[in-house]
Amino acid sequence: MSALAFTIVALLLSGPVPAMLARATWPLRAPRAAIVLWQSIALAAVLAAFSAGIAIASRLFVPGEDGRPTATLTSEIAVLGWPLWSAYVLVFALTLMIGARLIASVLNVAVATRRRRAHHRMVVDLVGSSQAKSTELCSHYARPLAGTGLRILDVAQPLAYCLPGVRSRVVVSEGVLNTLSDREITAILTHERAHLRARHDLVLEMFTAVHAAFPRLVRSGSALDAVRLLVEALADDAAVRTTGPTPLARALVACASGRTPRGALAAGGPTTVLRVRRLGGKPNSLFLAAGAYAAAAAVLVVPTVALAVPWLTELHRLFLA
């Protein structure tokens, strides 16, 4: 039953549960706690998938009459029957595949993302304004936020994004400086700096890797899309604390249609309308945040205690026999 339970939990946490949570509106009032909840769900789904495989392996190598594990996989066919044995082997193979895909996905996402960012960083360093000129062009209010990684592109359309990493960059266009007011420029730079300071890119990389690791039939794109929105909401909150909601809302609308490279975290984008509405809606809720943190802990602790302890005990007895 442990193998079946873990399989069901893994399927629920990789499909229906993310879909239901993605439809909820409360996460935008507790973005940080909601991200923790999403991370707990993703981690629990991966652990449940691996636990199902381990539980099945322990069933396929149950102790024989001498108290030792059986020597071959096929020797359990007579005990389990062909249908159940085939199902066990199929789920075990699926678990191994997910593990291999997860390792490959983590490596592919990390390497590809950093390669794209390094290339684009080289481009903006070549074509963007130097630090001295950037400081001169920046508004009086935004100048302290510029830092050493600010680059200004000679583009009329307002756009703003950041390139995370060891040598991070905040990139804005001449259109931002010519169109936005001082406080709006400050808001947009604070937004991008918040992404870099909190390393939101690493959060997105983890969800991208997990999304790619699970098979298409059971995975959901809801988690990745929801976390993308939540990290933007967190950066918005940092900007609001500096300038207030109105300058940020105007800056977001101005930069909404700006095109940004893959791997960058942009101020605008398809979620702009929803985020602007959020700025004028209800404030963040400590009650919702506390509930989300409690749910995140429960997602990890309850299945572990209820499901893992029994088969871990059995596995311990099996290998000590």
Side-chain angles (χ1 to χ4, degrees):
M1 289 302 295
S2 294
L4 178 60
F6 276 124
T7 302
I8 293 174
V9 169
L11 292 176
L12 289 176
L13 293 179
S14 61
V17 171
M20 288 188 294
L21 183 57
R23 290 194 294 268
T25 58
W26 67 262
L28 286 176
R29 297 187 59 200
R32 192 180 306 278
I35 289 176
V36 173
L37 177 57
W38 276 112
Q39 289 174 320
S40 297
I41 291 173
L43 180 59
V46 172
L47 291 177
F50 288 144
S51 298
I54 296 174
I56 288 171
S58 67
R59 287 289 299 160
L60 293 174
F61 290 96
V62 294
E65 295 180 356
D66 58 355
R68 297 182 178 277
T70 52
T72 63
L73 290 173
T74 56
S75 61
E76 283 302 305
I77 295 178
V79 178
L80 299 174
W82 271 104
L84 185 57
W85 182 87
S86 300
Y88 275 4
V89 172
L90 177 63
V91 174
F92 184 57
L94 184 63
T95 302
L96 295 178
M97 182 191 73
I98 292 175
R101 285 168 61 97
L102 182 59
I103 295 173
S105 180
V106 169
L107 295 176
N108 288 338
V109 170
V111 171
T113 301
R114 282 156 181 77
R115 184 177 297 165
R116 283 194 296 266
R117 287 175 184 161
H119 178 266
H120 193 76
R121 182 169 55 244
M122 179 186 65
V123 172
V124 297
D125 284 348
L126 290 174
V127 303
S129 301
S130 65
Q131 178 58 28
K133 185 178 179 182
S134 298
T135 304
E136 179 183 351
L137 290 173
C138 255
S139 69
H140 171 73
Y141 294 99
R143 193 174 299 152
L145 299 169
T148 58
L150 179 66
R151 294 293 181 269
I152 298 177
L153 301 181
D154 187 13
V155 177
Q157 182 185 26
L159 61 88
Y161 58 90
C162 65
L163 296 169
V166 177
R167 295 185 298 143
S168 61
R169 298 287 185 271
V170 174
V171 182
V172 296
S173 66
E174 293 278 5
V176 166
L177 303 179
N178 296 332
T179 305
L180 274 60
S181 68
D182 289 343
R183 291 183 64 82
E184 291 165 1
I185 294 173
T186 302
I188 213 70
L189 289 179
T190 304
H191 175 99
E192 298 303 334
R193 289 294 181 195
H195 280 316
L196 299 179
R197 185 173 57 254
R199 292 309 307 264
H200 291 155
D201 57 302
L202 298 180
V203 177
L204 293 175
E205 279 187 26
M206 187 270 284
F207 278 94
T208 302
V210 172
H211 174 76
F214 277 84
R216 293 179 182 271
L217 294 177
V218 298
R219 75 185 180 194
S220 171
S222 304
L224 184 56
D225 293 338
V227 173
R228 283 173 178 161
L229 175 59
L230 290 172
V231 298
E232 294 299 332
L234 278 178
D236 289 344
D237 288 344
V240 167
R241 288 192 293 269
T242 301
T243 64
T246 302
L248 175 62
R250 291 173 178 170
L252 292 178
V253 172
C255 299
S257 60
R259 298 184 62 181
T260 55
R262 290 181 62 189
L265 297 177
T271 62
T272 300
V273 174
L274 184 58
R275 289 159 54 202
V276 170
R277 289 177 180 172
R278 172 181 178 267
L279 294 176
K282 296 180 180 179
N284 289 349
S285 169
L286 292 177
F287 176 77
L288 290 174
Y293 284 127
V299 166
L300 288 177
V301 174
V302 172
T304 301
V305 173
L307 301 177
V309 171
W311 70 258
L312 281 175
T313 303
E314 177 63 23
L315 197 63
H316 178 73
R317 186 186 67 81
L318 172 64
F319 285 103
L320 291 181

